[in-house]
Amino acid sequence: MMAQPLRNHKKKTKLILGPMLARVPSKDIDNLSRSGGMLCKEGRNEGLGILHAMDLRVPSSRYVFLLRGCIRKKSLPEGKIVHAHMEENGLVPSRILHNTLLNMYAKCGSVADARRVFDQITERDDFSWAVMISAYAKHGPAQEALALFYQMKKATIKINEFAFSSVISTCPSLDALKDVQHEAVRNGFGSNVYVGSALVDMYAKFGSIEDARDVFDKMPQRDVVLWNAMITAYAKNEPVEEALKLFHEMKLSGIRADHFTFASVLPVCANLGNLEQGKEIHHEIDRSGYQSDVYVGSALIDMYVKCGSVEDARQVFDKMPKRDVISWNSMIGGYATHGPPEEALRLFRRMKDEAAEVQPNLFTYASIIPACANMAALEQGMEIHEEISRCGLQSDVVVESALIDMYAKCGCIEKARDMFDKMPQRNAFSWTAMIAGYAMHGSAKEALQLFQQMHQSGVNPTHVTLICVLSACCHAGLVEKGKKYFHSITEDYLITPAMEHYGCMVDLLGRAGHLDEARDFINNMPIKPDASVWGCLLGACRIHNNIELGEWAAEQIFELEPQKAAPYVLLSNIYAATGRWDGIERVRKMLEDRGVKKLPGCSWIDINKHVHTFVAGDTSHPQIQKIYAELERLSLQMKAEGYMPNTNFVLNDVEEEQKEQILCYHSEKLAIAFGLINTSPGTTIRVIKNLRICGDCHSVAKFISKITAREIIVRDSNRYHHFNDGRCSCGDYW
């Protein structure tokens, strides 16, 4: 049988060389013949064309060289041409040629062709069997590799280390793996480093880390591949700390780490949050010369991001000569998680503009969508949603869950629910995203109904789901229901409550005014409360102006996190609300003495796909004069409607008029005014605030929504507020 590629190849070659050869002197014909032979020896198929055009017989050894050239280039089409040429010439392949042909098909991934050649070999040696087993192991079906291995054993062919290392990776069970290991030991390969590496890797995949370590410890000699296999085994199983310990033992043994070693050990630092160890390994990478390796670079970025050091991650990213999609995804995800989210969007656009060879994938979109959510950048989020639909990725449950979360965080809870209802399949993350959305918006009834549906559908809640359920109860003041759900965490779902669950309960009790019960709840916690739990109690004391309990809660936080500004501000707010200016001065002095910087109030608004940022008393925005004028105009209208500025939220002991002036320029008011003058009538205004919205701003937003007939949605650090016609969705309970 002559393949079509060969007919085309021969025809083209003869058309070009035929007329030329007719005019070439006989002595030059000999030179051309030798040239064709040399090209064949170099594995270049041009030699085959020359010899065929001259009607010269190609010796068997030349085919071996040609096939090896095809293997080097991974060129299946050229390999088939050589094979067809062999058949046309009626060549009976030697065992070496047959094995080389078999190896070419196996290495080029054509398993069916490889099997046909294998079946034609009358005298198979250990190489023939090993190549065919390896082909099945690498390209499938894997069960054929195991079947062939047992056939080889029955054929009394001595099994070599390559056959063992290949078939080990196809074992479907731990018992099958132990059986193959027994055969390897019986055949004298118990201490073979290739077989040992494969065994360590496969035992780790079955989660049998003790068996993996047993194989590793019994190896008399260990190369870098074996060390890497054992380090990776620990990195993917418990205890992960052993991977770092083994990495140091490897260096002491004199084995030089390679890029696989570094790419395996860096994720351990990431998962442990061990930035110091990660930086030490980074220095070793620089000394070893692997800093430009794309896999090592991506692992470094991921490590720095997971350890919260986005600046270090960006330095690595910027220095990479070549970046793959993992590098881009890690860096985009780092900014989306740790901020600033605007940089995540900038990097996403740059990825599409600059990296033509790298296309956004599922994980890219799953990383960039939360950045839009965190900024409430609805227009940009919708644009990315359209792009996802064009790519055919919308049906992925991870992406859909991220989109639900994004729409909920952008204030479009109806759109989020519409997406949720249309999902063909849902997992725990999908349900949790929708329940969290309702909880954030204060829609406790809908959140709890959905949780009940989740339970009825047979999907088990995660610990995050239960945090969202408790949060929904908290925002609605559903104390008894919250207590019931808290007890169900351990009784019904067999989950050990985490710090976040305890924090939700303290928040629930405190907001509802049950301050003594909240205090007792903290005192009876089975784990030591952290600053977040005490912060919930302090926040409740701020709502109810309880100075004594507030001071006690604040003291606990100052001991745990003395450099965090939020508790100082909350305590100052309690003092301001009760006219305790001496207390405010004392807190100010504490801030100065401890060098604590207050986090400024900051608000964001997305207009025409551009996010505008405002801080309290801002004078830097290009439209600031128009904004101030709009606020002045609205202030007159609000006062005519009965608005009275609540100066209790001003922490300065100044005249009332000056307090009103300070209140007027809070960041959320600036953002709302900017939105009003830059959008058409009836457009919803969406604002994000990094802190809890103050009582005066909350009151102002209600008045503005009525005066302008606009819906105003404000997302503060606690929840969403939907202001409509002078009312807020929170019912003034926040």
Side-chain angles (χ1 to χ4, degrees):
M1 179 193 69
M2 190 186 300
Q4 185 64 36
L6 175 63
R7 287 199 292 269
N8 295 339
H9 180 72
K10 286 170 54 182
K11 184 177 179 182
K12 184 177 179 181
T13 306
K14 283 191 171 183
L15 283 172
I16 296 171
L17 291 180
M20 291 171 58
L21 292 172
R23 299 192 297 272
V24 176
S26 58
K27 62 177 182 177
D28 292 334
I29 290 287
D30 293 336
N31 291 333
L32 192 59
S33 172
R34 281 193 292 274
S35 296
M38 287 300 295
L39 288 169
C40 287
K41 193 171 182 180
E42 292 171 10
R44 294 171 60 182
N45 281 4
E46 301 97 306
L48 181 64
I50 291 171
L51 296 179
H52 185 79
M54 298 172 67
D55 290 324
L56 293 174
R57 184 175 181 81
V58 181
S60 179
S61 61
R62 294 293 186 260
Y63 282 116
V64 171
F65 289 122
L66 286 166
L67 288 169
R68 286 175 181 169
C70 297
I71 292 170
R72 282 196 302 273
K73 293 184 285 185
K74 293 283 194 296
S75 177
L76 182 61
E78 290 186 17
K80 287 191 171 186
I81 287 173
V82 175
H83 187 187
H85 198 282
M86 288 164 51
E87 290 184 341
E88 187 204 13
N89 284 347
L91 182 70
V92 178
S94 63
R95 188 164 64 181
I96 292 175
L97 180 55
H98 243 152
N99 279 344
T100 308
L101 182 63
L102 169 65
N103 197 27
M104 182 276 295
Y105 279 124
K107 291 287 171 58
C108 291
S110 185
V111 181
D113 286 315
R115 185 58 191 254
R116 276 191 287 271
V117 172
F118 177 81
D119 290 339
Q120 290 168 7
I121 303 174
T122 53
E123 294 184 14
R124 306 182 190 113
D125 59 10
D126 60 340
F127 181 83
S128 318
W129 287 91
V131 168
M132 197 64 240
I133 289 170
S134 176
Y136 280 129
K138 188 174 182 181
H139 303 288
Q143 62 268 24
E144 286 296 322
L146 202 60
L148 211 59
F149 171 77
Y150 286 112
Q151 286 179 38
M152 183 181 183
K153 181 182 168 185
K154 285 181 182 178
T156 65
I157 302 292
K158 183 172 174 57
I159 308 172
N160 62 27
E161 66 263 41
F162 303 109
F164 274 116
S165 58
S166 294
V167 79
I168 283 167
S169 67
T170 68
C171 291
S173 67
L174 199 57
D175 288 339
L177 180 59
K178 286 183 180 290
D179 185 45
V180 173
Q181 182 187 8
H182 175 74
E183 285 298 321
V185 172
R186 196 173 65 82
N187 281 269
F189 293 110
S191 60
N192 182 277
V193 72
Y194 299 110
V195 175
S197 299
L199 282 168
V200 168
D201 180 65
M202 205 60 191
Y203 273 125
K205 286 177 179 174
F206 282 118
S208 185
I209 198 72
E210 296 83 5
D211 286 315
R213 186 59 191 255
D214 183 61
V215 172
F216 178 82
D217 287 340
K218 288 177 179 176
M219 285 288 153
Q221 290 185 322
R222 301 169 187 149
D223 64 1
V224 68
V225 177
L226 181 59
W227 281 97
N228 287 350
M230 196 64 238
I231 288 170
T232 304
Y234 278 124
K236 294 182 177 178
N237 295 274
E238 294 291 340
V240 293
E241 295 88 347
E242 280 295 313
L244 289 174
K245 183 180 175 183
L246 210 63
F247 173 66
H248 293 301
E249 287 180 21
M250 174 184 172
K251 290 188 293 179
L252 291 172
S253 73
I255 299 293
R256 188 171 180 267
D258 63 9
H259 59 293
F260 290 112
T261 318
F262 292 123
S264 298
V265 79
L266 282 168
V268 177
C269 300
N271 293 333
L272 293 173
N274 193 335
L275 180 60
E276 184 180 352
Q277 180 70 68
K279 286 191 172 185
E280 285 181 19
I281 293 172
H282 188 178
H283 292 318
E284 290 186 44
I285 290 167
D286 288 340
R287 290 194 296 270
S288 302
Y290 287 110
Q291 63 270 32
S292 60
D293 182 272
V294 68
Y295 300 109
V296 174
S298 296
L300 273 170
I301 292 168
D302 183 65
M303 182 274 294
Y304 279 125
V305 163
K306 286 180 178 173
C307 290
S309 186
V310 182
E311 298 80 7
D312 286 316
R314 185 56 184 264
Q315 285 182 19
V316 174
F317 180 83
D318 288 339
K319 289 177 182 176
M320 290 178 73
K322 185 179 180 181
R323 307 179 188 101
D324 61 4
V325 70
I326 298 172
S327 317
W328 286 97
N329 290 352
S330 296
M331 199 65 249
I332 290 168
Y335 282 124
T337 303
H338 300 287
E342 306 96 289
E343 191 58 33
L345 281 166
R346 277 194 287 270
L347 210 59
F348 175 68
R349 295 190 198 99
R350 180 178 155 193
M351 176 187 184
K352 295 196 295 179
D353 292 341
E354 293 183 12
E357 73 283 359
V358 179
Q359 293 299 315
N361 63 11
L362 191 70
F363 300 102
T364 317
Y365 292 115
S367 298
I368 194 60
I369 293 167
C372 298
N374 292 338
M375 294 192 304
L378 179 61
E379 292 183 54
Q380 294 174 81
M382 291 175 71
E383 193 175 85
I384 290 170
H385 186 178
E386 290 174 7
E387 189 175 320
I388 290 167
S389 298
R390 289 196 298 271
C391 295
L393 295 173
Q394 183 171 329
S395 59
D396 180 86
V397 68
V398 175
V399 171
E400 282 188 303
S401 299
L403 284 168
I404 289 168
D405 181 65
M406 184 270 291
Y407 279 117
K409 286 181 176 174
C410 288
C412 300
I413 195 69
E414 296 83 5
K415 175 67 175 174
R417 182 57 191 259
D418 182 59
M419 279 204 66
F420 178 82
D421 289 339
K422 290 178 180 176
M423 287 182 76
Q425 59 179 0
R426 307 181 187 109
N427 62 12
F429 299 107
S430 317
W431 287 94
T432 301
M434 195 63 241
I435 292 168
Y438 279 130
M440 285 186 291
H441 287 268
S443 303
K445 180 182 175 183
E446 290 81 358
L448 299 182
Q449 283 177 346
L450 202 63
F451 180 65
Q452 188 64 29
Q453 290 175 31
M454 178 184 184
H455 178 75
Q456 291 169 354
S457 70
V459 178
N460 290 323
T462 67
H463 77 283
V464 178
T465 317
L466 294 161
I467 291 170
C468 297
V469 169
L470 291 174
S471 177
C473 295
C474 179
H475 290 311
L478 303 175
V479 176
E480 293 308 314
K481 282 194 174 182
K483 288 179 180 180
K484 185 192 79 169
Y485 285 120
F486 180 78
H487 291 306
S488 74
I489 294 173
T490 50
E491 294 172 4
D492 297 338
Y493 304 110
L494 306 179
I495 295 173
T496 302
M499 196 68 73
E500 294 86 351
H501 300 107
Y502 289 108
C504 283
M505 282 304 296
V506 173
D507 199 18
L508 171 65
L509 294 168
R511 284 175 189 270
H514 303 181
L515 295 176
D516 291 339
E517 190 177 353
R519 178 200 57 210
D520 294 341
F521 181 87
I522 292 175
N523 288 332
N524 292 319
M525 281 174 58
I527 56 177
K528 185 180 179 180
D530 67 3
S532 67
V533 173
W534 290 111
C536 291
L537 181 60
L538 180 59
C541 292
R542 162 66 189 91
I543 294 169
H544 300 288
N545 294 327
N546 189 316
I547 295 177
E548 184 181 351
L549 197 55
E551 288 177 331
W552 179 61
E555 284 300 324
Q556 312 308 311
I557 303 172
F558 295 156
E559 286 184 17
L560 294 168
E561 294 182 348
Q563 295 302 309
K564 291 287 180 69
Y568 297 93
V569 175
L570 277 172
L571 185 57
S572 293
N573 284 335
I574 297 174
Y575 287 139
T578 54
R580 287 278 304 277
W581 302 109
D582 59 323
I584 293 176
E585 285 305 316
R586 191 167 63 253
V587 172
R588 279 195 183 130
K589 190 172 187 312
M590 290 170 63
L591 284 166
E592 290 174 9
D593 292 345
R594 297 175 184 180
V596 180
K597 300 292 184 184
K598 285 172 58 179
L599 182 68
C602 190
S603 296
W604 296 267
I605 184 168
D606 181 15
I607 301 291
N608 296 325
K609 301 178 188 176
H610 180 69
V611 177
H612 298 261
T613 306
F614 296 91
V615 294
D618 202 341
T619 58
S620 62
H621 196 278
Q623 295 187 40
I624 198 63
Q625 295 305 321
K626 291 182 180 179
I627 293 169
Y628 284 170
E630 179 69 3
L631 285 174
E632 187 66 31
R633 183 184 69 81
L634 289 168
S635 179
L636 293 173
Q637 288 185 265
M638 288 190 297
K639 286 178 178 177
E641 292 282 338
Y643 162 67
M644 292 289 292
N646 188 344
T647 56
N648 285 335
F649 296 96
V650 178
L651 302 183
N652 303 77
D653 187 12
V654 294
E655 296 297 326
E656 284 296 306
E657 187 177 343
Q658 193 174 346
K659 287 183 180 181
E660 289 186 26
Q661 192 72 16
I662 293 169
L663 280 175
C664 187
Y665 301 133
H666 277 192
S667 64
E668 55 266 59
K669 291 172 184 164
L670 298 176
I672 290 170
F674 176 77
L676 290 171
I677 61 179
N678 284 280
T679 57
S680 56
T683 304
T684 300
I685 306 295
R686 303 172 195 276
V687 173
I688 303 179
K689 176 75 185 288
N690 65 333
L691 305 175
R692 182 179 183 271
I693 187 172
C694 80
D696 185 72
C697 289
H698 190 270
S699 178
V700 164
K702 288 196 290 185
F703 274 102
I704 292 177
S705 70
K706 184 176 182 180
I707 291 167
T708 62
R710 300 269 201 127
E711 181 181 16
I712 299 171
I713 301 173
V714 177
R715 184 179 100 198
D716 69 6
S717 59
N718 287 329
R719 57 164 296 156
Y720 276 82
H721 300 266
H722 292 253
F723 300 97
N724 239 321
D725 195 29
R727 292 184 296 274
C728 179
S729 59
C730 73
D732 296 339
Y733 186 89
W734 86 99

